[in-house]
Amino acid sequence: VQVPPGGFLDALMAEVGDWMRDGETKVLMCGMVGARNGWKEAPYVAVSATFDQVVAGVIRVEAKSLDSRIVPGLIGADDGGVPEVMRGEETEIFGLKSEGGEGELQGDTQLCLPGTHTKWVRIKSGKIAAFSTSMTGDLYKAIREGTILRTCTQQQEPADGDAFLRGVARSKQEGELAHHLFGVRTLVLTGKMQESSASSYLSGLLIGHEAKARARAGERVHLVGDSTLCSLYATALHEFDVSSSVEPAGAALRGLVRIAGSLAW
Amino acid sequence: VQVPPGGFLDALMAEVGDWMRDGETKVLMCGMVGARNGWKEAPYVAVSATFDQVVAGVIRVEAKSLDSRIVPGLIGADDGGVPEVMRGEETEIFGLKSEGGEGELQGDTQLCLPGTHTKWVRIKSGKIAAFSTSMTGDLYKAIREGTILRTCTQQQEPADGDAFLRGVARSKQEGELAHHLFGVRTLVLTGKMQESSASSYLSGLLIGHEAKARARAGERVHLVGDSTLCSLYATALHEFDVSSSVEPAGAALRGLVRIAGSLAW
């Protein structure tokens, strides 16, 4: 949802107004609504961060008769000292069902939340210890819209599993991403790949390059997010000898409910 | 120049008509004009290719009273067996002034022709032996137009040499390109980089990742193309301990003249 300046309350009511007919007044939000250019900035909580620290960072926003609050995002840095930020994924993480039960983060776990900006998250001793972002989904979209591959990658459905695997296999070969990308065009141009397979191959290349940089053979990764996308990541990770599990749908909702239950309303 | 179907002769005359007032009728063209969706397809010559083989591949096109011809492109494959194609760069290569003199390709040389689709070309014993493409320029444009980095990379001038070097240095660190790209946003978001420096940093990241994959420390690369772009590549290659030289402007023209001189008109 794209919201005009000053239009956040209207946008909120358009989304959830129907749910509030019984007089409910409590609203808890997460994600970009708490960004600097969102409704109201909810300052980042620094990692490593516990559930209680995130709950303590929840802010209130003015919204007439509603008691509206926003979950803060997290800030960290990768190994090279470059800042890392997330908004929304922290709530999904606190809603994990299959990791340790009852929403408690336990043990040391590697999470991956695929999407426009895929997050790789390290859980240590019940804390969100560190995380790192890959713009893979954003790149996929921009490449299909704005490069020479535009013409040959228009068709996205039906997905072609073999072409995806071929792209992942290609990502294992020598050469940088920008080189492998040009191959999408030449394979189609020379008749070595059907144009209808090019989008899936491109997806395999991009996720393959991400997995190549992230995968530690023998490790296990817990995937959280859209089931189709999680399945693609699971397939790519498998090619790098990394096993994976997939979180049941609804982590963000479970996280919001859990955070809401810990707030004094 | 974007040419409508059937409009190639008009487009040609619009470009060079003034030059032909003295009754000149010979026209030699190279580049995408010889592609399948160009004026007329000039079938690719396979590498490794000599100057004489490329000359033998020149085709004629119907153009009223003009004797018009098109230089063929080259086709090859990279180490992974994925096809490689070029159109136009072969003519620049045969116009090299500083490599061996008199346009003869001598010895073993690594060329780099930076651009939308940068070509890395290996010259061996006077032949174009092999080549490989990186879509670096195309990606740079698409990222600035279609990703979350759009807002922070609008300003491209003046170029910021320090930010470019910072991007190259970042490319040396662990992590895939899609990860390093997200850092452009977080560095600006957290005030660690001026927004006016983001385009140069992004350019450094992209050329850095290309150089990282291509550079063999101690090697020398001869750069051919736009002098500003060649200078950026020279800077990035230097950071990977690769020295470089830059071809004087006009290689494409010199190549056309040389090929024209070898044709029977």
Side-chain angles (χ1 to χ4, degrees):
Chain A
V1 183
Q2 193 81 20
V3 180
F8 282 97
L9 181 55
D10 289 344
L12 174 66
M13 294 313 291
E15 290 286 322
V16 305
D18 282 355
W19 307 348
M20 312 190 79
R21 286 199 185 137
D22 61 353
E24 181 58 66
T25 57
K26 290 180 273 189
V27 178
L28 182 63
M29 297 169 278
C30 68
M32 295 307 285
V33 69
R36 198 174 301 163
N37 58 351
W39 191 343
K40 183 176 175 183
E41 184 171 5
Y44 292 115
V45 173
V47 294
S48 78
T50 62
F51 176 77
D52 290 343
Q53 286 170 326
V54 170
V55 168
V58 170
I59 63 160
R60 290 167 186 263
V61 286
E62 285 297 317
K64 293 189 177 160
S65 62
L66 300 179
D67 184 355
S68 296
R69 313 197 188 179
I70 299 176
V71 179
L74 299 185
I75 190 163
D78 75 3
D79 293 340
V82 174
E84 280 287 351
V85 294
M86 69 162 64
R87 284 198 184 274
E89 291 91 349
E90 73 297 323
T91 303
E92 292 182 78
I93 293 166
F94 289 126
L96 294 187
K97 201 170 192 173
S98 46
E99 289 299 301
E102 300 301 311
E104 292 296 331
L105 301 174
Q106 291 177 352
D108 290 4
T109 308
Q110 173 72 50
L111 305 176
C112 172
L113 295 84
T116 303
H117 300 152
T118 298
K119 301 292 180 188
W120 293 81
V121 184
R122 176 67 64 178
I123 303 298
K124 275 191 185 161
S125 314
K127 298 178 184 174
I128 299 177
F131 64 98
S132 164
T133 308
S134 227
M135 280 184 35
T136 301
D138 209 355
L139 261 189
Y140 177 71
K141 179 172 164 286
I143 288 167
R144 292 181 63 233
E145 285 176 357
T147 70
I148 195 174
L149 305 186
R150 187 178 54 238
T151 50
C152 67
T153 58
Q154 282 310 300
Q155 189 179 331
Q156 198 166 14
E157 300 292 339
D160 179 338
D162 289 341
F164 179 82
L165 277 173
R166 194 175 169 190
V168 174
R170 175 66 168 157
S171 75
K172 289 185 172 183
Q173 294 182 339
E174 205 181 352
E176 73 281 19
L177 176 65
H179 168 52
H180 288 166
L181 289 175
F182 192 68
V184 180
R185 170 166 163 77
T186 58
L187 286 167
V188 171
L189 185 74
T190 57
K192 290 181 187 295
M193 185 166 62
Q194 294 286 321
E195 190 168 302
S196 56
S197 303
S199 292
S200 291
Y201 178 84
L202 171 63
S203 173
L205 270 187
L206 286 164
I207 296 176
H209 270 272
E210 183 179 353
K212 184 183 187 176
R214 306 289 182 156
R216 302 287 169 266
E219 213 181 26
R220 193 177 73 85
V221 170
H222 187 62
L223 293 157
V224 185
D226 171 79
S227 64
T228 304
L229 204 49
C230 284
S231 164
L232 291 177
Y233 271 74
T235 300
L237 286 168
H238 179 78
E239 296 297 309
F240 289 92
D241 300 319
V242 170
S243 62
S244 57
S245 49
V246 178
E247 175 71 14
L253 179 59
R254 290 193 296 277
L256 283 168
V257 168
R258 184 161 170 248
I259 294 168
S262 300
L263 291 170
W265 291 91
Chain B
V1 182
Q2 194 82 20
V3 180
F8 282 97
L9 181 55
D10 288 345
L12 174 65
M13 293 314 290
E15 290 287 321
V16 304
D18 282 353
W19 307 349
M20 311 190 79
R21 285 195 186 141
D22 60 354
E24 181 58 67
T25 58
K26 290 180 272 188
V27 177
L28 182 63
M29 297 168 279
C30 68
M32 295 306 285
V33 68
R36 198 174 301 164
N37 59 350
W39 191 342
K40 183 177 175 184
E41 184 171 4
Y44 292 116
V45 172
V47 294
S48 75
T50 62
F51 176 76
D52 290 342
Q53 286 169 327
V54 170
V55 169
V58 170
I59 64 160
R60 289 167 187 264
V61 285
E62 285 297 317
K64 293 190 178 160
S65 62
L66 300 179
D67 184 355
S68 295
R69 313 197 189 178
I70 300 177
V71 179
L74 298 185
I75 190 164
D78 76 2
D79 292 340
V82 174
E84 281 287 351
V85 293
M86 68 162 63
R87 285 196 184 274
E89 292 91 349
E90 74 295 326
T91 302
E92 291 182 79
I93 292 165
F94 289 126
L96 294 188
K97 200 171 192 174
S98 46
E99 289 299 300
E102 300 300 310
E104 293 295 332
L105 302 174
Q106 291 177 352
D108 290 5
T109 308
Q110 172 73 49
L111 304 176
C112 173
L113 295 84
T116 304
H117 300 153
T118 297
K119 302 291 180 188
W120 293 81
V121 184
R122 176 66 64 178
I123 304 297
K124 275 191 185 161
S125 313
K127 297 178 185 175
I128 299 178
F131 64 98
S132 164
T133 308
S134 227
M135 280 184 34
T136 301
D138 209 355
L139 261 188
Y140 177 72
K141 177 171 165 288
I143 289 167
R144 292 181 64 233
E145 285 176 358
T147 70
I148 195 173
L149 304 185
R150 187 177 53 238
T151 50
C152 67
T153 58
Q154 282 310 300
Q155 190 179 330
Q156 199 167 13
E157 300 292 340
D160 179 337
D162 289 341
F164 179 83
L165 276 175
R166 194 175 168 188
V168 174
R170 175 64 169 158
S171 75
K172 289 185 172 184
Q173 294 182 338
E174 205 182 352
E176 73 280 18
L177 176 65
H179 169 52
H180 288 167
L181 289 175
F182 192 69
V184 180
R185 172 167 162 76
T186 58
L187 286 167
V188 171
L189 185 75
T190 57
K192 291 182 188 294
M193 184 166 62
Q194 294 286 322
E195 191 169 301
S196 57
S197 303
S199 292
S200 291
Y201 178 84
L202 171 63
S203 173
L205 271 187
L206 286 165
I207 296 176
H209 270 272
E210 183 180 353
K212 185 183 187 176
R214 306 289 182 155
R216 303 287 169 267
E219 213 181 26
R220 192 177 73 86
V221 171
H222 187 62
L223 293 158
V224 185
D226 171 79
S227 63
T228 304
L229 204 48
C230 284
S231 165
L232 291 177
Y233 271 74
T235 301
L237 286 168
H238 179 78
E239 296 298 307
F240 288 93
D241 299 319
V242 170
S243 62
S244 58
S245 48
V246 179
E247 175 71 14
L253 178 60
R254 291 193 295 276
L256 283 168
V257 168
R258 185 162 169 245
I259 294 169
S262 300
L263 292 170
W265 292 90

